[in-house]
Amino acid sequence: MASRLGAAESLVVLGLVFLLAATAVPTTSVVDFGANGGVSTAATTEPAPNGPKSAADVRLVSVGDRGDRLWPFTSRDRAFETLTLPVNVVVEGNPARVRSLLMYSRDATWDETNESWQQASTEQAPTDEAASPWGSATGADRFTFVDTAESGGLWIAESMQLHDGTYFGSRIHLRLYGGGTPDDSWTAIQAHRDYWDWFRLRHTVTSLSGPQHVVERDLMRQSTVVDVRRERFANGGIIDADGWVSVVELGPPQLSTLPRDDARRSVPVESVTDRGERRPAERADSDRGDTPSVLDAPTTDSAGVGTALSILAVVFVGVGGLAAVVTRRDEFGALVERLRWSRLADDRFQRVVALAVALVALPVLVRSAALGLESVIPNHPKVVAGLLSPVFAFAPVALAARLPRGYSPELWFGTAFVGYGVGLVADFAMIGVAVVPVDVVLHRFAVLVALGVIAVAGHRRFEASEPRRAPLWAAVCLWILLFAWPLFLGI
């Protein structure tokens, strides 16, 4: 029997090696768990770099009216070889104007004296306007390349970052790159949807086309926008990007010398529906017609009567329950005795339930704690990640290694595998993630298998006549290897 189990474990380890090799292939693939329950995949393989590239080796596209040429991608470093994501929106205007349009639903002003764009004087929108979903964001620095007539080719960093969502949840993330001159300025935007991945300790991108459409719609509804069109930049093939970029043309700028009310003329503001779509504020107000107003609230007298009735109901229920226990002591005692001898009182069964419930709840609890800390200490993502990542990494190991007692190893393997798998899916559902890369799916499957092996090793440690720690430590090392894999190889 021992030899058979050893062969099975060898096959498990061999399968994990093959999965790790599969995740190491440099592909960009996604699995879409759509609303219809179907699964669709899209994959593109990035060509291997053949040494350092120069501006002559890449394709540049014209932006603006003065002949600037943009490399329509972003990069981790100031090099073409570290390409990350394609630019998918270009606005013929300054980043400050774009930020003001997105965050405040109104145009910025041009200060002729300082020759600069003046953003809104306050970070809060007027009370008569709906709050914008966009806010300032933090993220890793990314660069893009611009070839200009005056300074030649140069690498520029993002001017600002915006997002709609939460850092430790799911969000639409924008990086804005400004170029040109005050008379002919432009803004390149890299828009994508991502979510915080506890295994990678950074964000995983799931979509490019959806966020592009969201930004496009938000800008189309601004009164200062005169034209929105699609131009072929041929930078598709990554995730769901198709190579067509939204080009937005803004009208003449406002002057800061205009009256205050004119400089802040209101435009139709939109609200966000449950499906993530924007709609006009007038329609949103009409949809709230069924919402009780202040006049519909109960008066003090009626509220007091309701509270008194609630207290009386609790008292009657408590007294009735005690009376039932006293009058039917024999039946109640028989029920307690049956529970004592049922499976519910079995320590082994309780451990199975505890392991399953804990593994299901753990990813959701860690995510909830991160979102709560983010609201308490914003702009400190490293602190939040440093506090919670050890819990996420080592709590499943501790549970799977110490709880298994009795029953069969197969039961504990299945409990750990299914319990943690349901927890990871519940975590995705909590933050609204419906699309994940294929390599991430393969890695998570390997993690579930490793956790099941830890549960089996923990069971054998306490059930064997001669406990051995070597199998358990080997399984824990495999778990650590799988956690380190995304950090160092960037899957």
PDB file of all heavy atoms in Angstrom, residues 85-97:
ATOM      1  N   LEU A  85       1.564  47.056 -22.242  1.00  0.00           N
ATOM      2  CA  LEU A  85       0.206  47.142 -22.761  1.00  0.00           C
ATOM      3  C   LEU A  85       0.117  48.218 -23.848  1.00  0.00           C
ATOM      4  O   LEU A  85       0.911  49.168 -23.862  1.00  0.00           O
ATOM      5  CB  LEU A  85      -0.782  47.468 -21.635  1.00  0.00           C
ATOM      6  CG  LEU A  85      -0.886  46.454 -20.488  1.00  0.00           C
ATOM      7  CD1 LEU A  85      -1.771  46.996 -19.382  1.00  0.00           C
ATOM      8  CD2 LEU A  85      -1.417  45.117 -20.985  1.00  0.00           C
ATOM      9  N   PRO A  86      -0.860  48.112 -24.751  1.00  0.00           N
ATOM     10  CA  PRO A  86      -1.002  49.119 -25.816  1.00  0.00           C
ATOM     11  C   PRO A  86      -1.770  50.352 -25.356  1.00  0.00           C
ATOM     12  O   PRO A  86      -2.667  50.275 -24.513  1.00  0.00           O
ATOM     13  CB  PRO A  86      -1.786  48.359 -26.889  1.00  0.00           C
ATOM     14  CG  PRO A  86      -2.603  47.376 -26.131  1.00  0.00           C
ATOM     15  CD  PRO A  86      -1.768  46.963 -24.954  1.00  0.00           C
ATOM     16  N   VAL A  87      -1.418  51.490 -25.929  1.00  0.00           N
ATOM     17  CA  VAL A  87      -2.206  52.711 -25.765  1.00  0.00           C
ATOM     18  C   VAL A  87      -3.501  52.537 -26.545  1.00  0.00           C
ATOM     19  O   VAL A  87      -3.490  52.082 -27.697  1.00  0.00           O
ATOM     20  CB  VAL A  87      -1.409  53.931 -26.276  1.00  0.00           C
ATOM     21  CG1 VAL A  87      -2.299  55.171 -26.328  1.00  0.00           C
ATOM     22  CG2 VAL A  87      -0.192  54.174 -25.407  1.00  0.00           C
ATOM     23  N   ASN A  88      -4.629  52.870 -25.935  1.00  0.00           N
ATOM     24  CA  ASN A  88      -5.907  52.668 -26.620  1.00  0.00           C
ATOM     25  C   ASN A  88      -6.798  53.896 -26.692  1.00  0.00           C
ATOM     26  O   ASN A  88      -7.893  53.827 -27.253  1.00  0.00           O
ATOM     27  CB  ASN A  88      -6.680  51.501 -25.993  1.00  0.00           C
ATOM     28  CG  ASN A  88      -6.705  51.550 -24.478  1.00  0.00           C
ATOM     29  OD1 ASN A  88      -6.381  52.575 -23.877  1.00  0.00           O
ATOM     30  ND2 ASN A  88      -7.083  50.446 -23.853  1.00  0.00           N
ATOM     31  N   VAL A  89      -6.375  55.039 -26.160  1.00  0.00           N
ATOM     32  CA  VAL A  89      -7.127  56.294 -26.289  1.00  0.00           C
ATOM     33  C   VAL A  89      -6.126  57.424 -26.473  1.00  0.00           C
ATOM     34  O   VAL A  89      -5.103  57.471 -25.770  1.00  0.00           O
ATOM     35  CB  VAL A  89      -8.017  56.575 -25.053  1.00  0.00           C
ATOM     36  CG1 VAL A  89      -8.782  57.885 -25.234  1.00  0.00           C
ATOM     37  CG2 VAL A  89      -8.987  55.440 -24.797  1.00  0.00           C
ATOM     38  N   VAL A  90      -6.411  58.338 -27.391  1.00  0.00           N
ATOM     39  CA  VAL A  90      -5.608  59.541 -27.583  1.00  0.00           C
ATOM     40  C   VAL A  90      -6.559  60.727 -27.607  1.00  0.00           C
ATOM     41  O   VAL A  90      -7.522  60.742 -28.383  1.00  0.00           O
ATOM     42  CB  VAL A  90      -4.784  59.492 -28.891  1.00  0.00           C
ATOM     43  CG1 VAL A  90      -4.109  60.835 -29.140  1.00  0.00           C
ATOM     44  CG2 VAL A  90      -3.744  58.383 -28.831  1.00  0.00           C
ATOM     45  N   VAL A  91      -6.309  61.704 -26.754  1.00  0.00           N
ATOM     46  CA  VAL A  91      -7.132  62.910 -26.669  1.00  0.00           C
ATOM     47  C   VAL A  91      -6.291  64.083 -27.135  1.00  0.00           C
ATOM     48  O   VAL A  91      -5.160  64.267 -26.676  1.00  0.00           O
ATOM     49  CB  VAL A  91      -7.640  63.150 -25.238  1.00  0.00           C
ATOM     50  CG1 VAL A  91      -8.540  64.381 -25.191  1.00  0.00           C
ATOM     51  CG2 VAL A  91      -8.386  61.924 -24.721  1.00  0.00           C
ATOM     52  N   GLU A  92      -6.835  64.871 -28.041  1.00  0.00           N
ATOM     53  CA  GLU A  92      -6.127  66.045 -28.534  1.00  0.00           C
ATOM     54  C   GLU A  92      -6.316  67.192 -27.537  1.00  0.00           C
ATOM     55  O   GLU A  92      -7.066  68.134 -27.763  1.00  0.00           O
ATOM     56  CB  GLU A  92      -6.634  66.414 -29.927  1.00  0.00           C
ATOM     57  CG  GLU A  92      -6.376  65.315 -30.957  1.00  0.00           C
ATOM     58  CD  GLU A  92      -6.920  65.658 -32.323  1.00  0.00           C
ATOM     59  OE1 GLU A  92      -7.527  66.736 -32.473  1.00  0.00           O
ATOM     60  OE2 GLU A  92      -6.746  64.847 -33.251  1.00  0.00           O
ATOM     61  N   GLY A  93      -5.642  67.071 -26.426  1.00  0.00           N
ATOM     62  CA  GLY A  93      -5.747  68.059 -25.368  1.00  0.00           C
ATOM     63  C   GLY A  93      -4.766  67.736 -24.259  1.00  0.00           C
ATOM     64  O   GLY A  93      -4.147  66.669 -24.233  1.00  0.00           O
ATOM     65  N   ASN A  94      -4.618  68.648 -23.294  1.00  0.00           N
ATOM     66  CA  ASN A  94      -3.688  68.503 -22.196  1.00  0.00           C
ATOM     67  C   ASN A  94      -4.206  67.509 -21.158  1.00  0.00           C
ATOM     68  O   ASN A  94      -5.415  67.406 -20.959  1.00  0.00           O
ATOM     69  CB  ASN A  94      -3.460  69.871 -21.546  1.00  0.00           C
ATOM     70  CG  ASN A  94      -2.370  69.860 -20.510  1.00  0.00           C
ATOM     71  OD1 ASN A  94      -2.626  69.537 -19.365  1.00  0.00           O
ATOM     72  ND2 ASN A  94      -1.159  70.212 -20.923  1.00  0.00           N
ATOM     73  N   PRO A  95      -3.313  66.769 -20.473  1.00  0.00           N
ATOM     74  CA  PRO A  95      -3.785  65.837 -19.432  1.00  0.00           C
ATOM     75  C   PRO A  95      -4.619  66.507 -18.354  1.00  0.00           C
ATOM     76  O   PRO A  95      -5.537  65.867 -17.801  1.00  0.00           O
ATOM     77  CB  PRO A  95      -2.482  65.263 -18.867  1.00  0.00           C
ATOM     78  CG  PRO A  95      -1.503  65.362 -19.983  1.00  0.00           C
ATOM     79  CD  PRO A  95      -1.859  66.615 -20.721  1.00  0.00           C
ATOM     80  N   ALA A  96      -4.332  67.763 -18.026  1.00  0.00           N
ATOM     81  CA  ALA A  96      -5.127  68.441 -17.005  1.00  0.00           C
ATOM     82  C   ALA A  96      -6.570  68.615 -17.460  1.00  0.00           C
ATOM     83  O   ALA A  96      -7.509  68.501 -16.672  1.00  0.00           O
ATOM     84  CB  ALA A  96      -4.503  69.790 -16.666  1.00  0.00           C
ATOM     85  N   ARG A  97      -6.761  68.916 -18.761  1.00  0.00           N
ATOM     86  CA  ARG A  97      -8.127  69.036 -19.281  1.00  0.00           C
ATOM     87  C   ARG A  97      -8.835  67.679 -19.217  1.00  0.00           C
ATOM     88  O   ARG A  97     -10.006  67.591 -18.831  1.00  0.00           O
ATOM     89  CB  ARG A  97      -8.104  69.532 -20.729  1.00  0.00           C
ATOM     90  CG  ARG A  97      -7.720  70.981 -20.931  1.00  0.00           C
ATOM     91  CD  ARG A  97      -7.988  71.398 -22.364  1.00  0.00           C
ATOM     92  NE  ARG A  97      -9.418  71.550 -22.624  1.00  0.00           N
ATOM     93  CZ  ARG A  97      -9.935  71.818 -23.832  1.00  0.00           C
ATOM     94  NH1 ARG A  97      -9.128  71.928 -24.880  1.00  0.00           N
ATOM     95  NH2 ARG A  97     -11.229  71.972 -23.993  1.00  0.00           N
TER      96      ARG A  97
END
